[in-house]
Structures are given as structure tokens and as C-alpha cells.
């Protein structure tokens, strides 16, 4: 198929929902670097603009992702809708995510825009492990996984029956310089605290899939640039960094420049506190992902793009940990 012309590329506008979140912010920055104009919807644009100053010059509109009329109005004239809104700390998924999706689908149907939806590994249960392809069975064993599967089935139906095009890019655990709920800074290390120790949530030999957010967002932007080549319901896996828990532990030592104190994540203590802290309850539900190998097969993505954007592990970790206030930035010495 023919690639988009430079004139068409220059005229592209994306509606970004969730700009103050880690995924939304990263995707927005990548799209801008690829020449997209951003329109950003937020319930309180003034406050959101202060939280995301890199988007200060973008077109901000007031709206609620739960309100179909708001999303329809914000999406007027756009070619892409980035649906990256997510309730903080997993709160209210069952109640809030389905109507948000319906509003986004309605807007995409009305405008002809494609939906870009970040995917994750919650969709899968033991019958999909350990090497996950785009057509792997989706039989989740958790509540959050079931919700995600329902959302993606709705998108597939919209593509099949309503002419609504979708791009899903699926990845493992996200980490980056801006990340509100990353396992790296919520489970392994303490966000905003000097890196002196870490907790390992699973057996040392178990493989885990990590996605450096700038690389993942760059991948999404490159795929969005290839609109003419994409299927109506296009799904790609992002592989990122596949490491055993022991390899991640060693990498943290290298980035810190010294041997750090190691411990096991205190799952029993989390269980005792979970009845009083929703975030801990949700983290406990994901424990199975640390006890079993989960690896994304990115052959389809590499065939499409020629390569997967990839920052070397130690550099990616340093970028993330500096951004999260765990490491001091390295200052280059004068010659």
C-alpha cells in the first residue's frame, strides 16, 4: 500500500485523552516528534496543563472521557484518538472503563479517526504462557484481565461491524522517567527515594517482560505513521527488555554503581494491609505475573517496522530512575 504523502502527514491531528498519565504523556511526546498536532481533552485543562507543561502550547479542550458528547466534540477533525485514560491506582475499572470506551468508539465512528489503545498482559492466563503472540488465547484469571478482554472484544466488534479502526500495541510492565504506577517504582524500588535497596517480587530465574515507555511510545508513533498499511483491527506486540528477575537485580546494581541491599517483596505484609489499601489489593492480583514467565513475541512488529525501537537496558533504567528521583543525574565533567 502507498504511504501517506508529506502533505497528509503535515495535516494530521490526534486527540489525546489521558495526557497527564505516564502512557498518554509518552505517546503525546512521541506523536509531536513525528509531526502530529495534538488536541488534548481534560476535565480541568488549566490544572492538567500545569501537570504536563510540555504540552502547554497544544490545543486544550474541556471534557470528560465518560461523556460521549464531550468526546465527540473534542474529536472533530482528528485522524487519531489516543485513548490512554485510566483511573488512578486501578480504582473503579469495572464501572468507568466500559463507558469511556463506548464514548471513544462513538467519536471514532463519527469522525473516521483510528483509535490507538495501549494494551497490556493482563488479558492472559496460564494457557497463553510463556511466549505470547498476537493471536494467543485470552483467558484471564483475574478481574482486571477480564475487563481488559471485554474492552478489546468491543473494539474488535466495532472494527468488524461499525467501521471503527483500532491499533492496539501490547507490552509488558511499563517503566520510564514519568510513570505513576510502574512496578519498577512501586514494587522494586521506592519512587522519590535514593536508590539504596530493592525488593524482588518473584523467583530470580523467572523471565519478565519490561517496556521502556519512550521506546513503546516511539513504536506507537511509527505505527500511526503507517495508517495506510494497518488492518482495521491491528494488534502488535512490543517485546522491550526480557529479563529474569535476577538479571533485573544485577542491572540495578550496575546502574547504581554498587551492590545494593536486596530483599524479597513482602507479599504476606501486603496481604495483611490489602483490605485497607485498594492499590495493594490490585498489586496482589498481579502476583502470578512474577511467578511465571511472560514474554511478548514481537516478530509481527519487527516485520512491519524493520526493527523495534530499543534503548539499551542500563541507559533505560538510568533515565527512568533519574526521572523518578531515585538517582542523581550524571553531570558531564568539563574537559
Amino acid at each position: 500500500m502507498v504511504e501517506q504523502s508529506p502533505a497528509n502527514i503535515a495535516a494530521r491531528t490526534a486527540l489525546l485523552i489521558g495526557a497527564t498519565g505516564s502512557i498518554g504523556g509518552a505517546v503525546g511526546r512521541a506523536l509531536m516528534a513525528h509531526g502530529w498536532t495534538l488536541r488534548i481533552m481534560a476535565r480541568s485543562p488549566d490544572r492538567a496543563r500545569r501537570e504536563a507543561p510540555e504540552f502547554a502550547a497544544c490545543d486544550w479542550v474541556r471534557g470528560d472521557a465518560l461523556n460521549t458528547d464531550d468526546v465527540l466534540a473534542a474529536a472533530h477533525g482528528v485522524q487519531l484518538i489516543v485513548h490512554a485514560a485510566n483511573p488512578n491506582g486501578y480504582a473503579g475499572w469495572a464501572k468507568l472503563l466500559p463507558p469511556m470506551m463506548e464514548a471513544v468508539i462513538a467519536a471514532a465512528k463519527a469522525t473516521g479517526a483510528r483509535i490507538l489503545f495501549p494494551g497490556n498482559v493482563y488479558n492472559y492466563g496460564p494457557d497463553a504462557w510463556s511466549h505470547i503472540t498476537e493471536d494467543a488465547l485470552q483467558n484471564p484469571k483475574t478481574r482486571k484481565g477480564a475487563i481488559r478482554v471485554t474492552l478489546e472484544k468491543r473494539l474488535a466488534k466495532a472494527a468488524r461491524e461499525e467501521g471503527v479502526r483500532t491499533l492496539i500495541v501490547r507490552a509488558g510492565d511499563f517503566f520510564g522517567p514519568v510513570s505513576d504506577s510502574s512496578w519498577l517504582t512501586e514494587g522494586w524500588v521506592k519512587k522519590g527515594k535514593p536508590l539504596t535497596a530493592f525488593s524482588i517480587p518473584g523467583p530470580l530465574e523467572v523471565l519478565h517482560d519490561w517496556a521502556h515507555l519512550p521506546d513503546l511510545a516511539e513504536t506507537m508513533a511509527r505505527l500511526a505513521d503507517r495508517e495506510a498499511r494497518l488492518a482495521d483491527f491491528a494488534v502488535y506486540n512490543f517485546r522491550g527488555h526480557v529479563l529474569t528477575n535476577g538479571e533485573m537485580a544485577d542491572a540495578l546494581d550496575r546502574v547504581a554503581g554498587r551492590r545494593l541491599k536486596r530483599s524479597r517483596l513482602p507479599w504476606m505484609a501486603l496481604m495483611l494491609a490489602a483490605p485497607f489499601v485498594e492499590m495493594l489489593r490490585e498489586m496482589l492480583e498481579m502476583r502470578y505475573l512474577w511467578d511465571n514467565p511472560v514474554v511478548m513475541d514481537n516478530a509481527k512488529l519487527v516485520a512491519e517496522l524493520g526493527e523495534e525501537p530499543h534503548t539499551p537496558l542500563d541507559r533505560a533504567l538510568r533515565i527512568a530512575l533519574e526521572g523518578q528521583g531515585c538517582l542523581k543525574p550524571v553531570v558531564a565533567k568539563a574537559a
Side-chain angles (χ1 to χ4, degrees):
M1 294 184 181
V2 179
E3 296 286 352
Q4 295 191 46
S5 69
N8 287 337
I9 288 176
R12 298 172 305 172
T13 301
L15 172 62
L16 175 56
I17 304 173
T20 59
S22 52
I23 290 269
V27 176
R29 289 187 288 274
L31 288 174
M32 289 176 65
H34 279 246
W36 287 78
T37 297
L38 292 187
R39 181 179 303 150
I40 303 176
M41 190 182 79
R43 283 176 294 181
S44 176
D46 290 340
R47 183 178 65 188
R49 190 184 285 110
R50 289 193 296 271
E51 294 177 10
E54 67 269 38
F55 301 132
C58 294
D59 177 21
W60 287 80
V61 296
R62 187 179 305 278
D64 189 330
L66 289 166
N67 187 307
T68 300
D69 289 341
D70 285 354
V71 182
L72 280 166
H76 179 72
V78 307
Q79 291 75 52
L80 184 70
I81 301 174
V82 181
H83 180 23
N86 226 22
N88 289 332
Y90 302 107
W93 273 33
K95 180 180 179 181
L96 300 176
L97 293 186
M100 282 185 187
M101 184 60 76
E102 290 301 327
V104 168
I105 289 173
K109 184 176 181 179
T111 62
R114 181 181 288 272
I115 298 168
L116 171 55
F117 186 58
N120 59 38
V121 297
Y122 295 175
N123 300 50
Y124 302 109
D127 53 357
W129 298 335
S130 60
H131 207 65
I132 298 174
T133 60
E134 285 81 0
D135 58 357
L137 294 173
Q138 295 192 11
N139 295 314
K141 301 302 181 183
T142 66
R143 179 182 56 84
K144 290 193 294 297
I147 293 169
R148 295 290 301 198
V149 169
T150 298
L151 296 178
E152 291 188 21
K153 284 183 176 179
R154 178 66 183 97
L155 287 169
K157 182 180 179 181
R160 187 172 60 249
E161 300 179 2
E162 302 173 58
V164 174
R165 292 166 293 121
T166 289
L167 168 61
I168 296 174
V169 183
R170 193 182 315 284
D173 267 313
F174 313 139
F175 71 100
V178 180
S179 182
D180 295 329
S181 57
S182 164
W183 261 96
L184 179 64
T185 51
E186 299 291 340
W188 280 75
V189 306
K190 294 181 179 180
K191 181 166 54 179
K193 303 292 184 181
L195 181 59
T196 59
F198 56 80
S199 299
I200 305 172
L204 292 177
E205 70 278 6
V206 171
L207 286 170
H208 197 76
D209 207 312
W210 293 91
H212 182 47
L213 273 173
D215 292 339
L216 176 60
E218 172 64 18
T219 297
M220 292 177 176
R222 291 188 192 181
L223 288 169
D225 283 346
R226 302 168 74 86
E227 169 59 36
R229 300 175 56 94
L230 300 180
D232 286 350
F233 185 69
V235 183
Y236 293 89
N237 285 347
F238 177 89
R239 182 179 176 89
H241 296 277
V242 176
L243 312 165
T244 65
N245 292 322
E247 288 171 335
M248 174 57 90
D250 292 340
L252 289 171
D253 283 345
R254 289 197 304 272
V255 171
R258 63 189 185 283
R259 177 78 175 185
L260 301 170
K261 182 180 178 181
R262 304 182 179 198
S263 62
R264 294 288 185 175
L265 190 70
W267 288 107
M268 183 59 68
L270 297 186
M271 291 175 64
L272 294 174
F276 312 101
V277 183
E278 183 172 18
M279 181 66 175
L280 296 181
R281 293 198 298 273
E282 301 299 340
M283 289 175 67
L284 283 167
E285 192 180 57
M286 293 295 104
R287 182 176 181 176
Y288 74 97
L289 292 172
W290 295 103
D291 291 335
N292 299 278
V294 179
V295 178
M296 309 302 292
D297 184 323
N298 70 344
K300 179 181 175 183
L301 176 67
V302 171
E304 179 63 42
L305 296 182
E307 64 177 0
E308 179 182 283
H310 187 81
T311 302
L313 175 62
D314 289 10
R315 174 165 171 72
L317 281 175
R318 173 159 284 282
I319 290 171
L321 293 170
E322 286 181 2
Q324 296 290 332
C326 301
L327 287 177
K328 292 182 179 179
V330 174
V331 179
K333 295 181 180 180

